[in-house]
Amino acid sequence: MSQNYYQKEIETMSAEEMKKLQSEKLVKQVKHVYENVPYYRNLMDEKGVKPEDIKGIDDLHKLPFLTKADLRDAYPYGLLAKPLEDCVRIHSTSGTTGKRVVAFYTQNDVDLWEDCCARAITTAGGTKKDVCQVAYGYGLFTGGMGLHGGSHKIGCLTLPMSSGNTERQIQFMTDLGATILCCTPSYAAYIGESLKEQGYKPEDIPLKAGIFGAEPWTEEMRKGIEKTLGIKAYDIYGLTETTGPGVAFECSEQTGMHVNEDHFYAEIIDPDTGEVLPEGSKGELVFTSLDKEAFPLLRYRTRDICVLSRKKCSCGRTLVKMAKPMGRTDDMLIIRGVNVFPSQIETVLLNEGYEPNYQIVVDRVNNNDTFEVNVEMTAEKFTDKLSDIIAMEKSLANAMKVMLGINPSVHLVAPKSIARSEGKAVRVIDKRKLI
Ligand code: ADP
Ligand code: ZN
């Protein structure tokens, strides 16, 4: 049975009503966690906070933070708030930053999560008439199962492809007329590239929309994917610790993602001091899950850097919007003392007419950081004239210097020599950590 997943009464709720709803949920949630999670109870006791001190959202700042280190300390069951027999699912992070964490779900938690994904697909124009190709990885990673569940809830005809086997993705997409594609943006770019190589023009491709997330991607990359696939590309955000994709989703305005605030309360903090920053400030995103039963994290520090905004949105939703995360505190590279995000490099490449196929290699030689960027030559720009290659490398290095303030050494490499990603792209090789 399908249902309408534009939940107007929630998605356009006034700020005061939303705060009231969140406050009621928070009071209950803090009690639930305090009573059932000794690990967090200890953190609260150490801070001298009792559940009675939390009367609403305005008291949230009194609660201690949880970090990824806490999740690892408490692995596997230490943050579980329900008996294991009430849980029906486990997922795990994709381990982008090294160590995995596991999260537990009751049936209610799965339902809530799928509702969030259904909102995202609906907002991208999905209805029961659509064919939704889910090419995020299935399994422990949350991407596949999350969007799959959302697609089912709406009643879309769901193609549970998982990631990989690009030939088959293309065959099913074209034979079965997929209208919505869900995958990582780097995989969407790869599928687009493969379609182009096979001679497909955007108008030959049945897709109308894409829901791409799970990794940072730039506005320039969005434009590229939209052009190749002939679609509108929507961003989606989430993390395993809070459920998975669908914590926030993009609307037609494409200026940030609406947070499903009725389920997740978002704060921006100064990552150094922990101080809560006012709306519009850039800082670390912190989430409190207001409804989750099995794995309800309070004030979880995501390490994602972004900005929240309550500016009026043309879609009519009042849900707070988060900007595209610029990267994580832990994938920000510090090279010769300068902060460098891979997304900045990507912006330069796309502005200069290259594809987002690159790899950053950082090393330390004689106490000095070396900074190399390998960039794939595109078919259009291809030349084997050495002087032209050197000039192109120099011009790219200059453009990066303007963006970053430091000078990389740029190497143009042969088309197709950098491995394509079917999941989250690996952009950085930091050899300094291995020393
Ligand atoms: P891992 O931490 O191993 O990558 P997850 O698969 O749970 O585990 O990934 C969650 C993280 O992925 C987020 O914290 C964020 O850094 C990144 N992410 C998810 N969606 C987006 C998005 N739309 N834009 C940028 N980054 C995203
Ligand atoms: Zn909107």
Side-chain angles (χ1 to χ4, degrees), residues 68 92-97 141-142 212-217 235-241 257 302 304 324-325 328 424:
K68 207 158 206 166
S92 165
T93 60
S94 44
T96 312
T97 52
F141 175 52
T142 53
F212 306 134
E215 63 180 354
W217 53 312
D235 204 352
I236 185 167
Y237 170 91
L239 59 165
T240 314
E241 295 89 322
M257 294 173 270
T302 63
D304 290 323
K324 219 176 228 318
R328 309 196 231 198
K424 300 195 190 208

Side-chain angles (χ1 to χ4, degrees), residues 2 35-37 41 85 98 131 138 192 218 253 256 265-266 283 294 324 335 369 383 387-388 401:
S2 71
E35 282 167 7
N36 295 293
V37 185
R41 182 180 351 165
E85 64 188 49
V131 179
Y138 279 60
T218 55
E253 197 179 274
Y265 187 83
K324 219 176 228 318
I335 306 173
D369 290 338
T383 164
S387 57
D388 285 349
K401 167 121 201 264

Side-chain angles (χ1 to χ4, degrees), residues 3-15:
Q3 167 186 337
N4 181 6
Y5 281 94
Y6 173 45
Q7 291 161 324
K8 194 161 183 246
E9 66 294 355
I10 298 280
E11 295 180 53
T12 62
M13 200 175 242
S14 72

Side-chain angles (χ1 to χ4, degrees), residues 222 249-251 253-258 321-324:
R222 179 194 333 249
F249 61 96
E250 209 170 39
C251 64
E253 197 179 274
Q254 294 181 311
T255 54
M257 294 173 270
H258 289 288
K321 268 160 100 168
M322 58 179 271
K324 219 176 228 318

Side-chain angles (χ1 to χ4, degrees), residues 162-403:
S162 194
S163 59
N165 200 338
T166 307
E167 283 305 304
R168 195 177 58 193
Q169 301 277 358
I170 289 176
Q171 188 201 332
F172 275 51
M173 173 185 293
T174 50
D175 288 354
L176 302 175
T179 50
I180 298 176
L181 175 66
C182 307
C183 61
T184 58
S186 53
Y187 196 38
Y190 180 29
I191 293 177
E193 185 185 346
S194 308
L195 278 160
K196 203 168 162 186
E197 273 170 18
Q198 293 184 19
Y200 285 97
K201 296 197 191 62
E203 57 274 21
D204 306 328
I205 302 165
L207 295 175
K208 63 175 184 188
I211 301 176
F212 306 134
E215 63 180 354
W217 53 312
T218 55
E219 226 22 79
E220 293 76 10
M221 185 155 168
R222 179 194 333 249
K223 287 194 193 100
I225 297 173
E226 288 190 330
K227 205 165 139 216
T228 331
L229 292 176
I231 59 170
K232 189 152 174 151
Y234 296 84
D235 204 352
I236 185 167
Y237 170 91
L239 59 165
T240 314
E241 295 89 322
T242 55
T243 47
V247 171
F249 61 96
E250 209 170 39
C251 64
S252 52
E253 197 179 274
Q254 294 181 311
T255 54
M257 294 173 270
H258 289 288
V259 176
N260 278 314
E261 276 192 282
D262 50 331
H263 302 307
F264 305 101
Y265 187 83
E267 299 171 276
I268 292 285
I269 62 159
D270 177 326
D272 297 324
T273 64
E275 185 202 346
V276 180
L277 300 177
E279 184 201 328
S281 320
K282 186 161 97 183
E284 181 179 349
L285 189 56
V286 172
F287 279 113
T288 294
S289 38
L290 299 169
D291 290 302
K292 276 180 65 190
E293 298 176 340
F295 202 66
L297 302 188
L298 303 178
R299 301 198 87 201
Y300 180 65
R301 293 183 58 159
T302 63
R303 298 180 297 174
D304 290 323
I305 304 289
C306 91
V307 179
L308 291 176
S309 158
R310 289 207 174 269
K311 248 198 239 138
K312 204 162 184 270
C313 186
S314 59
C315 77
R317 287 180 183 76
T318 48
L319 301 173
V320 70
K321 268 160 100 168
M322 58 179 271
K324 219 176 228 318
M326 303 191 38
R328 309 196 231 198
T329 47
D330 49 6
D331 61 32
M332 181 186 80
L333 290 157
I334 303 179
I335 306 173
R336 295 174 214 146
V338 176
N339 298 348
V340 174
F341 283 100
S343 56
Q344 295 173 299
I345 307 241
E346 191 173 299
T347 298
V348 172
L349 291 181
L350 289 149
N351 282 341
E352 301 289 317
Y354 292 84
E355 300 291 329
N357 299 318
Y358 65 99
Q359 202 146 42
I360 302 164
V361 185
V362 192
D363 204 348
R364 186 160 288 169
V365 180
N366 299 331
N367 293 324
N368 274 323
D369 290 338
T370 61
F371 175 24
E372 288 173 36
V373 185
N374 297 324
V375 179
E376 253 185 33
M377 190 78 109
T378 61
E380 292 80 32
K381 288 182 187 284
F382 191 78
T383 164
D384 46 16
K385 206 167 147 209
L386 194 60
S387 57
D388 285 349
I389 297 176
I390 293 172
M392 287 159 79
E393 289 177 339
K394 221 169 148 193
S395 142
L396 257 185
N398 279 339
M400 287 183 197
K401 167 121 201 264
V402 171
M403 171 70 97

